[in-house]
Amino acid sequence: QVQLVESGGGLVQAGGSLRLSCLASGRSFSGYAMGWFRQAPGQEREFVAAINWSGGSTYYGDSVKGRFTISRDNAKNSMYLQMNSLKPEDTAVYYCAVKGLPDMYSGSYYLPQEYEHWGQGTQVTVSS
């Protein structure tokens, strides 16, 4: 079956960096957009970043623009999120997700309901 596994989370001091990885198994997602979302306690799930099927187009939430970089490696069926200049406000569980339809058919990159497959999440905690 389809499985997405996030890794790379942890505890980091404000201003530091982390690199999250998402490895997919079960089938290839090379034709699908992928994204990262995050959720803090008591908060709704928030869009962080998305990347189109080829990696040629990227999209970011306003709160992370200029600090985070999303990338993918279709040969490895994987996706990454480089997180720099981390702030305490970035503390959340970060989830990897894959769109429910191939990128040529899909709509919004920003809405979690557009994504079908989700990982279990990895905790990112930024201390001050």
Side-chain angles (χ1 to χ4, degrees), residues 116-128:
E116 181 177 356
H117 304 288
W118 295 81
Q120 294 297 305
T122 185
Q123 177 71 48
V124 172
T125 303
V126 184
S127 65
S128 59

Side-chain angles (χ1 to χ4, degrees), residues 42-87:
Q43 304 292 313
E44 294 186 355
R45 191 159 295 189
E46 177 188 15
F47 172 78
V48 176
I51 189 165
N52 79 330
W53 72 273
S54 68
S57 298
T58 57
Y59 310 85
Y60 297 94
D62 289 341
S63 63
V64 306
K65 286 180 180 177
R67 300 188 298 120
F68 291 9
T69 303
I70 189 171
S71 60
R72 69 189 296 165
D73 185 342
N74 285 338
K76 296 180 178 179
N77 215 23
S78 61
M79 179 179 63
Y80 309 94
L81 185 69
Q82 180 66 45
M83 309 165 66
N84 297 328
S85 301
L86 283 162
K87 305 175 180 180

Side-chain angles (χ1 to χ4, degrees), residues 2 4-6 10-14 16 28 39 52 55-56 62 72 77-78 80-83 94 113-114 121 124 127:
V2 171
L4 303 177
V5 179
E6 302 96 336
L11 176 64
V12 65
Q13 192 171 201
S28 173
Q39 189 165 23
N52 79 330
D62 289 341
R72 69 189 296 165
N77 215 23
S78 61
Y80 309 94
L81 185 69
Q82 180 66 45
M83 309 165 66
Y94 283 71
Q113 57 263 41
E114 295 283 333
V124 172
S127 65

Side-chain angles (χ1 to χ4, degrees), residues 23-36:
L23 279 71
S25 62
R27 67 178 179 92
S28 173
F29 292 106
S30 61
Y32 293 75
M34 301 179 71
W36 291 95

